[in-house]
Amino acid sequence: MNDFSYTQAATAKEATTLRKDTPTAAYIAGGTTLLDLMKAHLQEHPQLIDINALPFRGIEQTKDGLRIGALETMSDVGEHPLVLQQFPAVSQSLLLAASPQLRNMATVGGNLLQRTRCGYFRDPAFPCNKRVPGSGCPAQDGDNHNLAILGVSESCIANSYPGDFSVALAAFDAVLTLEKGKGKQRHVPLTDFYRLPDSTPHIETVLEPGELIVAITLPTAVPAQRSTYLKVRERSSYAYALTSAAVGLDVQAGTIRAARVALGGVGAQPWRSREAERTLVGQPATDATFRAAAAAALQGAQPREHNRYKVELAQNTLVRALQQVAAG
Amino acid sequence: MLSDLFPPAGTPQPEDGSRRSFMKQAGGILGLALAPPLVSQAERLTAYSKVIQGATDITLRVNGQAHTVRIEPRVTLLDALRERLDLTGTKKGCDHGQCGACTVHVNGRRTLACLTLAVMAQGKEITTIEGLAKGDQLHPMQAAFLKHDGLQCGYCTPGQIMSGVACVQEGHATTDAQAREWMSGNLCRCGAYPNILAAVREVATQQSKG
């Protein structure tokens, strides 16, 4: 790593002011993504601002749901009784990700900002529109077996967020609290937080310069309580998803009253599928319904040479996840 | 099946009072708004928070002892342990958080030393493989690795043992399948997994009886 200066911020105001003074500075919390990228020289920062002392903590019951401080670790959130009881799919998305050591270190706020595992992004010898805007995208006709098939563009086919947690958050209507200092906060639904690549794949979220993620709010809902996260990967643990599905169902007398569906591994961003949800609601909880929903979810897929398999794999992943939830 | 691997275990919260009090001390003065506009940036930074730039003396608590080391902010805990404190038991494998060879305990939780900045480990209790044995008496996990031949080349072994100790303490080694899942962050390219698993499971069984 190239050297940098290190500063601890005691308050959000201090952190955002430091960041304003040095726009190329970066915040550090768990550091598991940032230090990896800095060692690989994919990101360089003259200053790191440690935000671990900020009061963005706690996992609390509110009258509408749960509020999770952005600085809580993946381990603590994944194993928290309130999360396990009310949002099993969210808990599973955390505990099926990374390794126990990384989950002890990584914060849930930082998790949302991890970067793509596209090999062309990770290797500075190659052009990459995400890393060097306008340089090109060798992934389009290169090794794209683990890349996205929904929401992609001619500029980029990376799954910009390669993880699991945001997929579950997308399914269950999570809202992020963001702050730019001065105590001014705004609320952004997770499904509006990520930006599709279009012609600007280097702009990945709606976070403004220096803005911090303060908390994640999850609203209580029946389908969230009856939910699961199913992850399919090349080895059975400690690997990114090829495809995944976060689903929740409210089934009464055999009929689906409410449904939540999001897919991982296939979208340029965590992929909420309202098409699949519309196909499910009002229908009997049967395999035929699940198959129709899966077909609807993948309808707009734009696969390339090596990731064509994901169209079928993602449908099967979604069907199996729906079967599991319906079976209770 | 998932519920077998991920039971709602009551994970104890880490003792982090020391870290918080350290942060408070380092917190500094909230005089920013009053800072004169023309003062240089370096001066302004020092006015309201602790800045570490270039080689600086810091104190690390490792295996119960305080050590002062002179490091730049970019130095990882792994390099500080190996290169400054001569604690070379903790191994550098991938140096990118993918292999688990550098696993140590920070405030009792298993952590990757390669993705931890030494400056951010100040005020925390760090335990390395050198801190497990009591004199000549091996930690039960070390003894179990010897008994079950849980290694071939031995390079991943310190990380495996540190991870195994934590895995048992967390209550995540109650079945073979669960122990495999919760040890998956430690890779062994020799493929000693069956023997590593036997060692971890034996200690878990001993401790559940004891």
Side-chain angles (χ1 to χ4, degrees), chain A residues 39-119:
Chain A
K39 285 182 182 194
H41 301 286
L42 297 172
Q43 283 184 213
E44 304 274 9
H45 302 284
Q47 182 182 15
L48 295 190
I49 303 160
D50 182 345
I51 59 169
N52 284 292
L54 306 194
F56 301 166
R57 294 189 189 265
I59 302 167
E60 293 149 18
Q61 185 78 58
T62 65
K63 71 179 191 334
D64 305 318
L66 291 186
R67 184 183 190 278
I68 301 168
L71 287 169
E72 293 291 338
T73 64
M74 290 173 70
S75 295
D76 287 341
V77 177
E79 295 198 81
H80 198 281
L82 291 174
V83 180
L84 278 159
Q85 286 155 17
Q86 297 174 34
F87 300 92
V90 173
S91 166
Q92 291 158 14
S93 76
L94 288 163
L95 298 182
L96 289 169
S99 70
Q101 292 96 314
L102 288 164
R103 297 195 294 265
N104 279 345
M105 304 165 71
T107 64
V108 289
N111 178 290
L112 305 185
L113 299 175
Q114 59 186 293
R115 314 275 321 260
T116 181
R117 310 307 291 195
C118 174

Side-chain angles (χ1 to χ4, degrees), chain A residues 1 4-6 8 14 17-18 22 35-36 39 52 57 75-76 79 100-101 103-105 237-238, chain B residues 11 20 22 26 32 41 45 48-49 52 73-74 95-98 103 109-110 114-115 172 181 184 186:
Chain A
M1 269 186 290
F4 47 82
S5 69
Y6 164 85
Q8 294 162 324
E14 198 176 289
T17 306
L18 283 162
T22 309
L35 297 180
D36 179 34
K39 285 182 182 194
N52 284 292
R57 294 189 189 265
S75 295
D76 287 341
E79 295 198 81
Q101 292 96 314
R103 297 195 294 265
N104 279 345
M105 304 165 71
S237 182
Y238 198 14
Chain B
T11 308
R20 295 231 166 123
F22 166 72
L32 173 73
Q41 189 180 318
L45 291 179
Y48 56 88
S49 198
I52 298 179
R74 64 173 155 178
D95 207 25
H96 282 275
Q98 297 175 6
T103 302
R109 291 172 71 137
R110 43 178 161 161
C114 77
L115 292 181
H172 288 141
E181 169 63 32
S184 71
N186 292 80

Side-chain angles (χ1 to χ4, degrees), chain B residues 71-110:
Chain B
I71 53 145
E72 293 174 336
R74 64 173 155 178
V75 173
T76 61
L77 177 60
L78 176 61
D79 286 339
L81 291 170
R82 289 180 55 84
E83 309 293 336
R84 314 299 159 97
L85 297 177
D86 215 19
L87 292 169
T88 52
T90 306
K91 296 294 186 257
K92 182 181 281 194
C94 68
D95 207 25
H96 282 275
Q98 297 175 6
C99 75
C102 66
T103 302
V104 297
H105 297 177
V106 176
N107 287 344
R109 291 172 71 137
R110 43 178 161 161

Side-chain angles (χ1 to χ4, degrees), chain B residues 13-169:
Chain B
Q13 296 295 311
E15 281 291 330
D16 62 356
S18 53
R19 178 177 53 81
R20 295 231 166 123
S21 59
F22 166 72
M23 290 298 184
K24 270 184 201 152
Q25 281 165 23
I29 309 144
L30 297 168
L32 173 73
L34 304 173
L38 292 177
V39 74
S40 79
Q41 189 180 318
E43 282 165 345
R44 280 183 61 191
L45 291 179
T46 51
Y48 56 88
S49 198
K50 183 172 175 176
V51 180
I52 298 179
Q53 186 151 32
T56 305
D57 284 338
I58 66 162
T59 301
L60 294 176
R61 261 194 90 72
V62 185
N63 301 329
Q65 280 195 315
H67 300 269
T68 300
V69 287
R70 193 164 179 78
I71 53 145
E72 293 174 336
R74 64 173 155 178
V75 173
T76 61
L77 177 60
L78 176 61
D79 286 339
L81 291 170
R82 289 180 55 84
E83 309 293 336
R84 314 299 159 97
L85 297 177
D86 215 19
L87 292 169
T88 52
T90 306
K91 296 294 186 257
K92 182 181 281 194
C94 68
D95 207 25
H96 282 275
Q98 297 175 6
C99 75
C102 66
T103 302
V104 297
H105 297 177
V106 176
N107 287 344
R109 291 172 71 137
R110 43 178 161 161
T111 296
L112 299 177
C114 77
L115 292 181
T116 301
L117 293 177
V119 289
M120 290 172 71
Q122 295 176 91
K124 298 181 184 178
E125 203 62 53
I126 299 149
T127 306
T128 70
I129 188 73
E130 290 91 346
L132 279 192
K134 289 177 183 151
D136 287 339
Q137 194 193 342
L138 294 180
H139 184 283
M141 190 65 72
Q142 292 173 307
F145 267 69
L146 278 178
K147 179 183 165 189
H148 290 279
D149 208 10
L151 60 137
Q152 288 181 40
C153 84
Y155 197 80
C156 72
T157 311
Q160 298 279 2
I161 290 176
M162 295 308 288
S163 202
V165 170
C167 186
V168 171
Q169 278 172 357

Side-chain angles (χ1 to χ4, degrees), chain A residues 157-181:
Chain A
I157 57 170
N159 16 21
S160 193
Y161 173 86
D164 303 288
F165 179 53
S166 270
V167 179
L169 294 183
F172 301 108
D173 303 294
V175 175
L176 306 181
T177 302
L178 310 177
E179 179 170 336
K180 280 212 301 186

